[in-house]
Amino acid sequence: MAKHSLLSPSSAARWTACPPSARLCEHIAEGPSLFAEEGTEAHALCEYKVKLALGIDAADPTPTLGFYNEQMEDCADEYAAFVLEALQQEKDAGKDPIILLEQKVDVSTYVPECSGTADCIIVADGKLHVIDFKYGQGVPVSAERNTQMMLYALGALGMFGALYEVDEVSMTVFQPRLANVGTFTMASDELLEWADSYLRPRADLAFKGEGEFCSGPHCRFCKVKATCRARAEANLALARYEFRMPPMLDDDEVCKILGKVEELAAWASDVKEHALKAALTGKRFEGFKLVEGRSVRKYTDEALVAATVLNAGHDPYEKKILGITAMQRLLGKSQFEQMLGNLLEKGPGKPTLVAESDRRPALNAATQDFKEN
Ligand code: SF4
């Protein structure tokens, strides 16, 4: 397996925000992750699908994919269609684009020893596209000033800047399992200016293990997220919030707490998970003990249960219509849409209070309907 560079594009959001985290995490091993394996397989299928669509000879990886299923197939098809469309747009504009898949890019001009692999790069006169496939379905990844994408784009500019006049860089995150497809476009001059004025100095600090610890949403992917003192102190600062009189919080104070609550909840859950894992290996935390959680009853032998109930003259089975996912699997995506498309509806989602920066549109006056009585 290739050695991961200290400052990789995929962790750049973290080490640019918190430079000393890079050296702090450097020697901490990370266990194998099924999600990562699944993602690698999905990427292999995506690459194959795009090659197939481009008429490039490639071996079908499907028989070797342990996580392969219909959803992976659909996601890879959607990705391939997206890539082909981006390529076609450049051709339609009279350009002569080139496309590179799983392309290694070198970012070491700005970041020591940094390189990465971009899923798809399309270069044409005037424009560079970087498209990144994300198979994860935990957190939606935003394309807006996405540091990983910006590093890939810098690497691609380094490769093609001399051959093509690139004025604009378009960076797309394609995350089909969350129906999240976002593109962020910026002038290549602006990207290069960011690389000189922000990225390079942050990377130098990170490489030397210097700079200030800084906690934030980027901690979610940090190896020391559960035991990091800086993160703990930042979150505990909220608990030390100095409440003024009168005894009820005013709206400003509620806003301040709302702004921190997600981070606080994520941190608390990371600490709990870390402590539970350690306790399960025998570690003792003063004042705490391991107990059995709630468990549910279940049949030890379903066939025997059914036979016993039938013998007693009762019907042990219930007949239920398949759920939407199972039905789609049964019929296949296109037949499902054709047969049942007009029999589907999507009710309004439960109102959620999020920061103004969230990409979802705000609920309008109809929110009255959601008011609790
Ligand atoms: S947990 Fe957050 S604050 Fe701590 S080292 Fe990691 S990124 Fe920095």
Side-chain angles (χ1 to χ4, degrees):
M1 200 194 230
K3 187 174 170 282
H4 237 270
S5 50
L6 175 78
L7 306 179
S8 66
S10 59
S11 60
R14 171 178 52 74
W15 58 254
T16 48
C18 176
S21 66
R23 290 286 175 198
L24 188 65
C25 298
E26 188 178 6
H27 300 297
I28 298 175
E30 220 165 17
S33 149
L34 293 181
F35 295 122
E37 275 177 46
E38 187 187 41
T40 305
E41 291 193 357
H43 273 80
L45 189 61
C46 282
E47 184 185 5
Y48 167 69
K49 294 272 184 184
V50 178
K51 282 186 170 165
L52 199 67
L54 292 171
I56 300 172
D57 223 12
D60 182 357
T62 314
T64 64
L65 304 180
F67 293 92
Y68 175 82
N69 58 20
E70 198 182 327
Q71 187 184 36
M72 191 182 279
E73 175 83 17
D74 289 345
C75 290
D77 280 335
E78 286 169 33
Y79 169 76
F82 184 87
V83 168
L84 267 284
E85 198 181 312
L87 185 69
Q88 191 58 45
Q89 269 175 15
E90 294 302 332
K91 287 182 180 166
D92 291 347
K95 314 266 183 71
D96 187 15
I98 56 166
I99 177 166
L100 298 132
L101 304 173
E102 295 297 316
Q103 176 62 46
K104 185 144 193 236
V105 288
D106 182 345
V107 199
S108 60
T109 311
Y110 304 98
V111 180
E113 301 171 11
C114 177
S115 63
T117 306
D119 296 337
C120 176
I121 294 172
I122 298 171
V123 205
D125 256 332
K127 194 153 181 175
L128 168 77
H129 298 258
V130 181
I131 304 170
D132 197 44
F133 177 80
K134 304 261 183 223
Y135 199 52
Q137 53 181 347
V139 191
V141 180
S142 167
E144 181 134 356
R145 297 193 79 84
N146 180 304
T147 324
Q148 180 183 11
M149 305 293 292
M150 287 160 85
L151 263 67
Y152 289 152
L154 283 169
L157 277 181
M159 287 173 82
F160 300 104
L163 301 172
Y164 289 84
E165 189 78 26
V166 176
D167 308 317
E168 201 176 65
V169 178
S170 150
M171 294 165 280
T172 299
V173 169
F174 192 90
Q175 192 177 17
R177 289 213 280 185
L178 289 179
N180 172 35
V181 181
T183 299
F184 179 69
T185 303
M186 71 194 295
S188 54
D189 285 350
E190 193 195 335
L191 178 64
L192 293 169
E193 153 63 18
W194 171 83
D196 269 329
S197 63
Y198 178 77
L199 179 64
R200 200 196 309 267
R202 301 302 281 181
D204 286 344
L205 284 175
F207 197 70
K208 288 189 235 155
E210 295 174 358
E212 299 283 320
F213 284 100
C214 169
S215 75
H218 52 271
C219 296
R220 185 191 292 264
F221 301 107
C222 185
K223 290 184 199 163
V224 297
K225 63 184 178 182
T227 49
C228 170
R229 186 170 304 279
R231 190 182 185 210
E233 280 173 359
N235 281 292
L236 287 170
L238 179 63
R240 290 196 295 271
Y241 186 83
E242 268 191 38
F243 296 111
R244 305 186 303 257
M245 292 301 280
M248 306 281 280
L249 298 178
D250 63 26
D251 289 353
D252 276 357
E253 289 170 312
V254 169
C255 277
K256 276 193 186 120
I257 294 171
L258 279 176
K260 302 206 172 191
V261 99
E262 293 246 339
E263 258 307 298
L264 188 64
W267 169 69
S269 132
D270 289 339
V271 173
K272 271 180 83 174
E273 197 184 311
H274 163 80
L276 176 63
K277 265 193 202 152
L280 285 169
T281 62
K283 173 127 187 130
R284 295 257 316 149
F285 290 99
E286 200 52 45
F288 293 86
K289 63 181 178 185
L290 273 176
V291 293
E292 260 188 40
R294 244 188 92 225
S295 70
V296 284
R297 294 181 301 166
K298 60 179 186 186
Y299 298 126
T300 53
D301 184 336
E302 284 198 5
L304 191 57
V305 169
T308 308
V309 175
L310 276 171
N311 272 344
H314 302 286
D315 180 1
Y317 297 106
E318 63 173 345
K319 196 159 187 186
K320 265 174 69 177
I321 191 163
L322 289 178
I324 289 180
T325 310
M327 190 71 84
Q328 187 164 313
R329 205 172 296 132
L330 175 77
L331 300 174
K333 203 173 176 190
S334 53
Q335 199 184 4
F336 175 85
E337 287 299 332
Q338 207 180 346
M339 287 170 63
L340 304 178
N342 59 355
L343 295 174
L344 296 173
E345 67 169 4
K346 199 165 186 253
K350 203 170 151 216
T352 311
L353 198 55
V354 297
E356 282 284 1
S357 54
D358 192 280
R359 289 193 310 146
R360 286 167 286 185
L363 287 175
N364 55 27
T367 47
Q368 297 300 334
D369 297 341
F370 292 114
K371 268 193 177 167
E372 282 182 42
N373 293 317

